[in-house]
């Protein structure tokens, strides 16, 4: 075999990862530079809402080229976003310029459910690119090196994707409370928290599955001129140290308080940016109030959080699953669009696929 043929052969292979979404407890809202956060954020890693991505790679005829299918079909909008991302990735992994990538991706949850899929999609894609890099260059053998690179590359696609790389819980952004934390990539914090949170459950109540009136990237941008931006970043930092303490000690009362105020501050920022906008719908507010009443009357430590959309995440300890699920089905589901909700839970993070 000639040397050229041997190196061409090493440029052929297949990698695949399934990577989950995550739900932020302390919210990332506001960025600068190349997807760098204005404040640290922490999230729980989910299980059921995941993207599986497979890449078959081979030498390209010229520069980097790719073809893309989402759930067995062409998807021009996703393909364009993947194309922009891959072009940026050639600066990170130069040998991508010598490859053709056939990318096949699918979600475990309905794409139209209004669930943000960018965290699972970009973390799965970044993990695949790191696997290709390692298969060819053997440069990422340490798990921590591998994960940090995957997290950093995922961040460049979508900030929140940086946090999907780890089991149970992840923190992204420099924070005095966690040694080794960085704005460049997320770090695992699952090992630092009480066991109750490693089996936490997240019922995602789909209030509206339609497209959002204002995208998250437009929302991040509005923070640049926001009159309350600096105070919001200070609050997020304060909440970060308080929630890490609550999670270390298993203080559910404090956890509930902090998670809900974070969700409310996120939406308050939207309501008073210029131009202002409102993503909550009447049924989101109805559900929020019902959750608070349920907590008061049962003393079960349920709480809600909300991403940049109208859907409500109901977070609760696994031990309370039986009564909480009765509450969801009997009381909350009537306020969900077409009765739709996703029964998710904290999980083990991305899994490499055979
Ligand atoms: O990752 P992006 O740019 O879609 O921003 C996500 C922002 C929130 O979901 C609202 C909060 C977060 O930290 O996940």
């Amino acid at each position: 075999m000639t040397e050229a043929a041997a190196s061409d052969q090493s440029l052929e292979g297949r990698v695949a990862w399934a990577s989950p979404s995550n739900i932020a407890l302390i919210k990332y809202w506001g960025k600068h530079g190349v997807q760098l956060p204005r404040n640290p954020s922490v999230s729980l890693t989910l299980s059921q809402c995941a993207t599986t991505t497979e890449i078959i790679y081979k030498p390209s005829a010229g520069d980097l080229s790719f073809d893309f299918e989402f759930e067995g079909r062409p998807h021009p909008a996703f393909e364009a976003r993947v194309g922009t991302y891959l072009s940026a990735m050639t600066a990170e992994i130069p040998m991508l310029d010598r490859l053709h990538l056939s990318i096949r991706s699918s979600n475990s949850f309905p794409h139209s459910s209004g669930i943000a899929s960018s965290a699972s999609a970009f973390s799965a894609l970044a993990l695949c690119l790191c696997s290709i890099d390692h298969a060819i260059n053997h440069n990422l053998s340490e798990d921590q090196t591998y994960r940090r690179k995957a997290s950093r590359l995922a961040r460049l696609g979508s900030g929140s994707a940086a946090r999907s790389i780890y089991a149970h819980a992840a923190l992204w952004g420099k924070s005095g409370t966690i040694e080794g934390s960085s704005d460049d990539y997320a770090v695992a914090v699952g090992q630092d928290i009480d066991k109750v949170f490693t089996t936490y459950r997240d019922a995602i109540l789909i209030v509206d599955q339609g497209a959002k009136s204002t995208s998250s990237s437009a929302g991040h941008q509005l923070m640049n001129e926001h009159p309350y931006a600096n105070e919001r970043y200070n609050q997020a930092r304060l909440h970060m140290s308080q929630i890490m303490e609550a999670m270390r000690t298993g203080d559910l009362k404090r956890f509930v308080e902090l998670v809900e105020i974070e969700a409310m501050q996120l939406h308050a920022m939207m309501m008073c940016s210029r131009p202002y906008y409102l993503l909550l719908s009447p049924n989101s507010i109805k559900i929020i109030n019902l959750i608070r009443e349920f907590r008061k009357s049962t003393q079960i430590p349920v709480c809600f959080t909300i991403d940049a959309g109208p859907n409500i995440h109901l977070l609760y300890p696994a031990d309370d699953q039986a009564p909480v699920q009765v509450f969801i089905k009997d009381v909350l589901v009537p306020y969900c669009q077409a009765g739709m909700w996703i029964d998710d839970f904290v999980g083990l993070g991305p899994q490499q696929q055979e």
Side-chain angles (χ1 to χ4, degrees), residues 194 197 241-252 254-255 258:
D194 188 277
F197 297 109
S241 58
Q242 292 172 334
I243 206 164
M244 287 313 298
E245 180 57 21
M247 289 177 84
R248 261 192 283 269
T249 56
D251 183 343
L252 290 179
R254 193 89 177 107
F255 176 82
L258 290 161

Side-chain angles (χ1 to χ4, degrees), residues 22 24 26-29 31 35 41 118 158-161 163 216-217 220 266 270 306-308:
N22 67 76
I26 303 297
K27 307 291 183 181
Y28 149 59
W29 200 239
K31 61 180 172 182
Q35 303 262 88
S41 56
S118 62
S158 166
S160 55
R163 298 186 309 244
S216 332
S217 34
H220 284 293
L266 171 71
M270 299 171 191
I306 324 167
D307 268 343

Side-chain angles (χ1 to χ4, degrees), residues 90-159:
T90 55
E92 302 290 336
I93 307 175
M95 59 78 193
L96 282 180
D97 249 340
R98 297 167 59 196
L99 298 181
H100 177 86
L101 311 178
S102 289
I103 307 174
R104 302 285 172 267
S105 201
S106 60
N107 283 347
S108 62
F109 51 98
H111 174 59
S112 61
S113 61
I115 297 296
S117 55
S118 62
S120 54
F122 280 104
S123 54
L125 189 51
L127 284 156
C128 285
L129 296 180
C130 287
S131 286
I132 295 173
D133 190 13
H134 183 62
I136 297 172
N137 296 318
H138 311 288
N139 55 347
L140 300 169
S141 43
E142 282 282 320
D143 186 58
Q144 200 186 55
T145 316
Y146 188 92
R147 300 249 167 196
R148 285 194 175 172
K149 179 150 186 176
S151 176
R152 191 169 64 77
L153 298 192
R155 181 202 107 221
L156 296 171
S158 166

Side-chain angles (χ1 to χ4, degrees), residues 175-203:
S175 162
T177 29
I178 293 289
E179 212 178 305
S181 57
S182 164
D183 284 352
D184 282 334
Y185 47 78
V187 293
V189 289
Q191 68 287 353
D192 299 326
I193 58 179
D194 188 277
K195 279 214 159 32
V196 68
F197 297 109
T198 63
T199 56
Y200 236 61
R201 301 196 67 93
D202 178 7

